[in-house]
């Protein structure tokens, strides 16, 4: 799978995200501090990764900033992106199941390497719910302007 990854600084688990995704056999498109020629501010880097997902250059994305909040907000401004800030495996599983999230947002400050592995395990094992109520919620979110 092709995954677009953005970080606003090369701190915390930023490099580990790229390393772990590649170890799992994914192709990584890097943005922000992970791509030296690009602007590394969280808003610009997260937008770039989100646009890769929305425009089909990547199937999923991972955006990172110090808290993860700004990265998720910026990514969610891009139509077609459903970014979820995940702090553990349970929130990652729920984001995939109930929100059909296609961009994972992570905190560079709070995410340990052990948590990263658990979050990615849950993220990639998860799938969107087929429940009609859940699907209706996703359709409604996609229609909100």
């Amino acid at each position: 799978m092709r995954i677009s990854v953005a970080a606003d600084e090369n701190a915390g688990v930023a490099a580990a995200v790229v390393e772990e995704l590649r170890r799992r056999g994914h192709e990584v498109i890097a943005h922000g501090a992970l791509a030296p020629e690009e602007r590394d501010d969280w808003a610009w880097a997260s937008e770039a990764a989100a646009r890769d997902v929305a425009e089909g250059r990547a199937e999923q994305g991972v955006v990172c900033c110090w808290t993860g909040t700004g990265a998720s907000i910026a990514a969610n401004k891009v139509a077609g992106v459903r970014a979820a800030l995940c702090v553990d495996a349970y929130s990652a599983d729920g984001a995939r199941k109930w929100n059909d999230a296609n961009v994972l947002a992570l905190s560079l400050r709070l995410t340990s390497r052990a948590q990263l592995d658990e979050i990615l395990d849950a993220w990639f094992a998860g799938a969107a719910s087929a429940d009609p109520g859940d699907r209706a919620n996703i359709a409604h979110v996609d229609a909100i302007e």
Side-chain angles (χ1 to χ4, degrees):
M1 179 183 309
R2 187 174 301 132
I3 302 173
S4 190
V5 180
D8 65 343
E9 60 181 315
N10 199 357
V13 294
V17 169
V18 172
E19 172 189 309
E20 183 59 22
L21 291 173
R22 287 184 175 142
R23 189 191 70 72
R24 292 173 184 234
H26 301 291
E27 179 184 341
V28 173
I29 303 168
H31 293 289
L34 304 171
E37 69 283 357
E38 290 188 11
R39 186 169 181 164
D40 63 358
D41 301 277
W42 58 265
W44 280 264
S46 298
E47 177 192 5
R51 289 206 182 280
D52 282 346
V53 174
E55 296 170 8
R57 289 183 294 278
E59 287 85 0
Q60 294 186 3
V62 180
V63 295
C64 309
C65 71
W66 194 240
T67 64
T69 305
S72 66
I73 291 170
N76 276 315
K77 295 290 288 183
V78 176
V81 168
R82 289 176 302 282
L85 175 56
C86 297
V87 297
D88 55 25
Y90 184 78
S91 58
D93 178 63
R96 296 287 293 131
K97 181 192 275 182
W98 298 307
N99 311 124
D100 194 12
N102 53 8
V103 173
L104 170 63
L106 296 171
S107 167
L108 294 174
R109 178 180 180 269
L110 299 176
T111 307
S112 70
R113 179 58 200 246
Q115 287 171 312
L116 173 64
D117 291 341
E118 293 170 3
I119 290 168
L120 291 175
D121 286 346
W123 182 267
F124 290 119
S129 169
D131 177 80
D134 293 336
R135 298 310 312 156
N137 275 312
I138 298 310
H140 182 71
V141 167
D142 286 346
I144 296 172
E145 292 185 18

